[in-house]
Amino acid sequence: MDRLPPLAQVPLEALEPAFEERVRAAPRLEQDRLLAEADLLRIEDDDTSSWRALTVYRALAGRLAEGGPIHLDRAAWTCREDPSRDAVEARIATLALGHPGEDEQLDAACTLAACEWLAGDFIGAERRLKELLPRVRGREDRLELQVYYGLATLYSWQRRELESLALARRAQQLADRHPELHPVQHAHASSVLADAYRSLEDPEGLTSTAQRMLAISTRMSEPDAGRLRRQAHTIAHEAAMLHGDLAAARDHLGAALLEQARDLKTAGYTDRGLTYYEARLALRLGDLESAAPHIEQQREQAQAHPTVWLTWRLLTVELALRRGHQAQACELVAQALERMAEPAVRAHLGTGRRLRHAERLGELLEDLDGEAHLTGLAYREAADAAYDRLRELERAHAELPELAEVTEADRETLARYRTRFAGRHRVVLEHLRDILVEARARGELPAWATAAPGGMTAVCAWCRSVRGTDGRWLPLGHFVTTSGPHLTVTHGICEACRTSVREDGGD
């Protein structure tokens, strides 16, 4: 076997799987040399050197498992630097949990949580991060930011809009207070805020965070800078889609694809691709010939993935309907609803994503003759998710004090979201009303629904928050309709709105 060159001389574009295989196949003495070189490179304040060191540590994860202080230090450093969040990193993070340093343990736990949620174990990831939160609150460092980032990312993916916005805002505020943090940390804070705006379907918020991310990318070296630019253009693409500006959406997606083509696949980096965005845009443009190959290419692969299968199923149903294949579309919807009823799948999707995806299935079938029953099943599944979301929000408000401390600007953002929600999800709210009627008949109406005197529900007339049994105002108002027999509403005003009304010259 040819001797590997000194690690510092390996070109960045050569740090790919084939190089890692050569490192793993090298004699032990050669591996020892590479590990020693990586140790020296990792202390340099240079991202290129970090990528070289990271590649060797990942390639020799089996060597790190031999234990000892030096291997634990290598594992802990890898947790802090590795963005791949794959099985190799999870293995290294498990080793790093045994490090004696508290910061190193916290890094390892954050890494494991990220690996868990990407693998679809949302319950495990949320539990791990919530356990970390009391340990990092008030540290004012990258570890506090990372825990907020991890939880906000998880919640935004599940479309848990309030939780994702409140925690993402904490991460962004912390980053703003500490400009000395590495640009990657600032990128994390901005990207997770964009994720929160995505869950709120807020194009203005998406646009502003995309611009911030492009500015941060100028302070980063490749390949990280290019990956951040790609992400920023993808976010700008989504904002344009929400605005209905398909020309701008196409331009931003083209820019993201160019960044993807130039990317260097270093140190286990997994290219998740932009195929979904290409397929969705093609459908919006009515270009079925372009959309079909993307959808058919991903359909089978996505079917086995616990977190993305339903996203691709929605596109497949829409494509079938556009082609006039009504029977195929209905069969696909029925299969999706059956799978969504499985407890493990419900946990993977989360309440907010279940709500929106089930509702979309109903919307796709709404105008089809003879499919009222299947359409109703889809809307009922969405309403069941909304009911679960109500209980989830009540629990989250009790567990996460950050939710009660949102900024004035974010309160306004949430108020606009609640107004949009009531308009866009009218059919789901009608089914939710039926579910609440059934719950009332069983004596299982949530406690907040009768918290006001006379067994009424107290709703803030300004922001539509609902007063709970302990006096706190819960952000449940977008789920509460003021008509029908399930709830008797009395209007009040929450403390936050009372303050802003007084400042505006009101009573």
Side-chain angles (χ1 to χ4, degrees), residues 369-404:
D369 294 333
E371 298 302 335
H373 176 68
L374 187 58
T375 304
L377 288 177
Y379 280 125
R380 177 69 182 210
E381 172 64 24
D384 282 338
Y387 186 66
D388 289 343
R389 178 77 180 118
L390 282 168
R391 295 184 292 180
E392 180 179 69
L393 267 170
E394 193 170 10
R395 289 195 306 271
H397 216 267
E399 296 170 353
L400 297 169
E402 289 83 358
L403 303 192

Side-chain angles (χ1 to χ4, degrees), residues 65-102:
E66 294 173 0
I70 190 169
H71 285 320
L72 282 179
D73 284 342
R74 289 162 173 162
W77 181 87
T78 302
C79 286
R80 190 167 66 248
E81 298 295 326
D82 190 359
S84 56
R85 304 296 189 256
D86 59 3
V88 175
E89 188 178 15
R91 180 184 180 190
I92 292 174
T94 302
L95 298 173
L97 285 175
H99 197 284
E102 182 182 23

Side-chain angles (χ1 to χ4, degrees), residues 316-360:
T316 306
V317 170
E318 185 174 352
L319 178 63
L321 289 172
R322 295 282 194 94
R323 287 172 159 175
H325 302 160
Q326 178 174 329
Q328 179 192 10
C330 292
E331 182 181 357
L332 290 168
V333 171
Q335 292 171 356
L337 291 173
E338 182 178 356
R339 187 172 177 184
M340 289 174 71
E342 300 172 9
V345 173
R346 292 163 73 93
H348 286 152
L349 293 173
T351 53
R353 191 168 283 262
R354 272 176 54 216
L355 190 167
R356 287 161 178 78
H357 284 359
E359 179 184 46
R360 180 58 180 156

Side-chain angles (χ1 to χ4, degrees), residues 280 283-284 288 295 312-324 329 332 360 364:
R280 187 180 60 166
L283 280 176
R284 286 283 296 274
L288 303 189
I295 294 172
W312 283 100
R313 177 59 60 91
L314 286 168
L315 293 185
T316 306
V317 170
E318 185 174 352
L319 178 63
L321 289 172
R322 295 282 194 94
R323 287 172 159 175
L332 290 168
R360 180 58 180 156
L364 287 169

Side-chain angles (χ1 to χ4, degrees), residues 258-276:
L258 283 176
E259 295 292 351
Q260 177 180 269
R262 288 194 290 258
D263 195 10
L264 305 173
K265 308 303 184 286
T266 50
Y269 175 75
T270 302
D271 182 5
R272 297 185 179 91
L274 298 168
T275 308
Y276 169 74

Side-chain angles (χ1 to χ4, degrees), residues 20 66 78 136 145 295 298-299 304 345 361 449 488:
E20 293 183 36
E66 294 173 0
T78 302
V136 299
L145 190 153
I295 294 172
Q298 293 291 327
R299 184 172 54 194
V345 173
L361 290 172
T488 304

Side-chain angles (χ1 to χ4, degrees), residues 103 106-107 110 129 132-151 167 170-172 174-175 177-178 181 185 402:
D103 287 7
L106 291 170
D107 265 323
C110 287
L129 289 166
L132 289 174
L133 196 50
R135 297 175 61 186
V136 299
R137 277 195 188 104
R139 286 179 58 116
E140 289 290 314
D141 64 0
R142 63 174 182 82
L143 286 165
E144 184 179 7
L145 190 153
Q146 281 300 104
V147 173
Y148 282 134
Y149 168 76
L151 275 171
L167 296 176
R170 282 299 186 95
Q172 185 65 73
L174 196 156
R177 288 195 299 270
H178 294 279
L181 288 172
Q185 302 296 330
E402 289 83 358

Side-chain angles (χ1 to χ4, degrees), residues 25 104 132 146 159 227 258 267 321 411 430 467 494 507:
E104 288 78 5
L132 289 174
Q146 281 300 104
R159 296 298 185 260
R227 291 170 186 167
L258 283 176
L321 289 172
R411 279 199 296 271
E430 290 174 357
R467 189 168 62 203
C494 70
D507 181 42

